[in-house]
Amino acid sequence: MDCWKGAIGQSWIYPTLIICANGFLSTMRPSESFLTPYLTGPDKNLTIEEVTNQIFPVWTYSYLALLFPVFLITDYVRYKPVLLLQGISFIVTWLLLLFAHGVVAMQVVEFFYGMVTATEVAYYAYIYSVVSTDHYQRVTSYCRSITLVAATIAAVLGQLLVSLAGVSYFHLNAITLASVSLAFVCSFFLPMPQKSMFFHRKDISETLPGPDRAVATVGADGPPSCQEDKSSVSADRAPAPEQQADNPKPQSHMLRVLVQLGRDLRDCYSSRKLLYWSLWWALATAGFNQVLNYIQVLWDFRAPSHSSAVYNGAVEAIATFLGSATSMAVGCIKVNWDLSGELTLGIFSAMDAGSLFLMHFTDNIWACYAGYLAFKACYMFLITIATFQIAVNLSMERYALMFGFNNFVALVIQTILTVVVVDSKGLGLDISTQFLIYGSYFTFISGIFLIRSIYTIISIKCRNTSGAGESTNH
């Protein structure tokens, strides 16, 4: 008992345990790998066209509509209320999945799931408001690792229950409902933060590292978490003299925060290096999320679940493991990303495009599975590099701001893809043709960064040649 009291007394241990429990239980969703077979099976009896062209697009639209206001509200109300809202959205989503029927009901499901994904920012931001900067690296590792573990366990469990125990998709969703309900209960035990990154800080308009300094530090040795910690410590500096005036009214306080956020965004994107990495982030994440949203539909098209064995859970488990392995591999690679970063983005984006073309042209479900594994591994490898290259330049606050804005831009692009390619009010293309479009989209991304890398290499050679000539003349 004394040991337990001592553990709670250590301020960072208790909230870390609770938020990790919340993350594990909310990610422990064994039914998620089998959503499309469930919707098109006897439980819901929807057609593949209804699922693809009328139901799934609603998630993208609701996510886009909710992301920006939720991002601001999350910080304003200090995270915990939004985590509770996420728990309620989870429960409503799975209650409707279990007991509601029809296209409209499933569209409502997608709306609430859009609320779930929009509020995910609260999970990753909460812990930084209740622990000191000394523990950022450790708690970040715990919070991210626990969700990867939960996703892997959920996928494996779902596959085992379906393949070996013959558990129905309905009962898989019931297990998921129980898990997310427990996650909701955990949220009540979280301590209420006293501060947040933007609206509730002692120093709202702090001076942060500018992009000129950022460019100079790109490629610095050391893990990104360490670099973020150093920048975050600067957030505790005393406010400038003009900031020591009387506390502003709530309206002017909010306005000043929004203005400061706009200035921070302008400063961050004025760095050409950050701009290019953010451009890839937004473009690739839009395509990646689009593929993830519709990959089960393609699998069901290649091997209909009503007449074929379904291995979605096993594939998702392997994909999660490979994604984690490639992300960890980035930390072991000693490369000057300033010189070879854009070339790497171009090459691996081309590999993503090749994987998508494979999934389009093949009729073999195993080839589709293999293409998906390669696609996700390549993306996770590149997004880890991009995250490092952006985070190493910025304070925690500016990194969170760029993270949110890059994802917002990605969601806008994804919405355009959905409206034009998927939605029945647009082209309403069949699923196989959609993946041809997605492959072409990643080919376009690859072309941008391959051309850019060639231009960079030629510029460097020209400067080196010019410098050598001047040295010879002297």
Side-chain angles (χ1 to χ4, degrees):
M1 190 69 179
D2 292 337
C3 294
W4 175 246
K5 288 181 179 178
I8 294 179
Q10 307 235 3
S11 60
W12 70 274
I13 296 178
Y14 175 72
T16 302
L17 285 174
I18 300 299
I19 196 67
C20 285
N22 173 274
F24 180 87
L25 291 167
S26 63
T27 312
M28 184 67 180
R29 307 193 293 265
S31 64
E32 200 159 58
S33 300
F34 303 93
L35 177 60
T36 298
Y38 175 66
L39 294 177
T40 58
D43 291 290
K44 300 302 175 186
N45 203 29
L46 298 167
T47 66
I48 199 74
E49 290 77 17
E50 288 173 332
V51 171
T52 306
N53 305 124
Q54 297 181 44
I55 296 174
F56 282 175
V58 175
W59 170 80
T60 305
Y61 304 150
S62 67
Y63 189 13
L64 176 64
L66 295 168
L67 180 62
F68 183 70
V70 167
F71 179 80
L72 294 178
I73 292 170
T74 297
D75 191 88
Y76 188 77
V77 300
R78 290 173 290 173
Y79 314 117
K80 181 177 178 177
V82 175
L83 285 169
L84 293 171
L85 174 63
Q86 184 187 52
I88 294 171
S89 301
F90 264 127
I91 293 171
V92 172
T93 297
W94 260 270
L95 282 174
L96 290 172
L97 263 180
L98 283 168
F99 302 113
H101 297 274
V103 172
V104 174
M106 294 304 104
Q107 288 175 332
V108 175
V109 167
E110 292 297 311
F111 170 81
F112 277 101
Y113 195 68
M115 178 71 77
V116 167
T117 48
T119 52
E120 280 180 353
V121 63
Y123 172 77
Y124 291 106
Y126 169 85
I127 199 65
Y128 301 121
S129 66
V130 293
V131 303
S132 66
T133 56
D134 295 337
H135 300 296
Y136 275 6
Q137 182 174 354
R138 182 180 295 184
V139 299
T140 300
S141 172
Y142 292 160
C143 291
R144 293 190 179 276
S145 298
I146 201 70
T147 56
L148 291 173
V149 170
T152 304
I153 292 175
V156 171
L157 177 63
Q159 188 65 62
L160 292 175
L161 290 175
V162 168
S163 299
L164 300 182
V167 174
S168 68
Y169 298 138
F170 179 88
H171 289 104
L172 275 187
N173 280 288
I175 294 171
T176 298
L177 175 60
S179 183
V180 297
S181 298
L182 288 173
F184 176 61
V185 172
C186 285
S187 301
F188 282 99
F189 295 95
L190 290 168
M192 185 67 184
Q194 300 303 309
K195 63 179 182 177
S196 65
M197 285 189 181
F198 304 115
F199 287 101
H200 302 281
R201 345 176 2 188
K202 296 178 181 179
D203 176 13
I204 298 168
S205 303
E206 67 197 4
T207 304
L208 296 169
D212 293 336
R213 175 181 169 185
V215 172
T217 61
V218 172
D221 293 332
S225 53
C226 295
Q227 298 291 341
E228 288 173 9
D229 289 348
K230 293 175 184 176
S231 299
S232 299
V233 172
S234 67
D236 297 328
R237 290 195 298 261
E242 64 268 22
Q243 296 165 355
Q244 296 177 352
D246 294 336
N247 290 333
K249 296 179 180 179
Q251 294 86 349
S252 61
H253 169 76
M254 181 175 291
L255 181 61
R256 286 192 356 171
V257 171
L258 293 175
V259 169
Q260 183 62 38
L261 293 180
R263 289 173 178 168
D264 285 346
L265 277 176
R266 179 197 64 195
D267 292 343
C268 290
Y269 288 110
S270 64
S271 164
R272 182 174 295 182
K273 190 174 298 293
L274 290 181
L275 179 62
Y276 280 120
W277 283 103
S278 296
L279 175 64
W280 179 87
W281 181 320
L283 290 171
T285 299
F288 176 76
N289 288 339
Q290 192 75 352
V291 169
L292 256 61
N293 206 24
Y294 295 94
I295 189 64
Q296 288 188 32
V297 179
L298 180 68
W299 292 341
D300 202 73
F301 177 75
R302 296 294 184 217
S305 55
H306 60 80
S307 59
S308 306
V310 179
Y311 296 102
N312 296 6
V315 175
E316 287 291 357
I318 297 171
T320 302
F321 174 78
L322 288 177
S324 303
T326 54
S327 297
M328 291 178 62
V330 172
C332 303
I333 299 174
K334 302 299 181 183
V335 174
N336 186 342
W337 297 112
D338 287 349
L339 298 177
S340 57
E342 291 170 350
L343 180 62
T344 303
L345 292 176
I347 291 173
F348 279 87
S349 295
M351 293 173 64
D352 273 337
S355 301
L356 293 168
F357 284 135
L358 171 65
M359 288 186 268
H360 165 72
F361 287 110
T362 186
D363 291 327
N364 187 295
I365 185 62
W366 296 104
C368 278
Y369 287 153
Y372 174 70
L373 294 176
F375 172 80
K376 190 167 184 178
C378 289
Y379 172 82
M380 294 305 295
F381 178 75
L382 292 179
I383 196 66
T384 304
I385 299 171
T387 300
F388 170 80
Q389 288 299 300
I390 293 174
V392 77
N393 296 300
L394 303 171
S395 70
M396 182 67 72
E397 290 78 9
R398 279 193 170 181
Y399 170 70
L401 184 61
M402 285 196 73
F403 177 87
F405 191 78
N406 287 347
N407 280 338
F408 178 76
V409 173
L411 196 51
V412 170
I413 298 170
Q414 184 185 353
T415 301
I416 295 171
L417 282 172
T418 301
V419 170
V420 175
V421 176
V422 182
D423 200 303
S424 56
K425 295 179 181 178
L427 295 177
L429 299 176
D430 65 88
I431 190 62
S432 180
T433 306
Q434 286 181 36
F435 274 74
L436 177 63
I437 300 296
Y438 304 150
S440 303
Y441 175 79
F442 272 89
T443 301
F444 170 73
I445 297 173
S446 174
I448 291 176
F449 289 93
L450 286 176
I451 292 171
R452 170 70 188 167
S453 65
I454 292 171
Y455 172 79
T456 301
I457 292 171
I458 292 174
S459 299
I460 292 173
K461 286 186 176 180
C462 289
R463 285 200 299 268
N464 290 341
T465 303
S466 175
E470 290 177 2
S471 298
T472 303
N473 292 334
H474 286 300

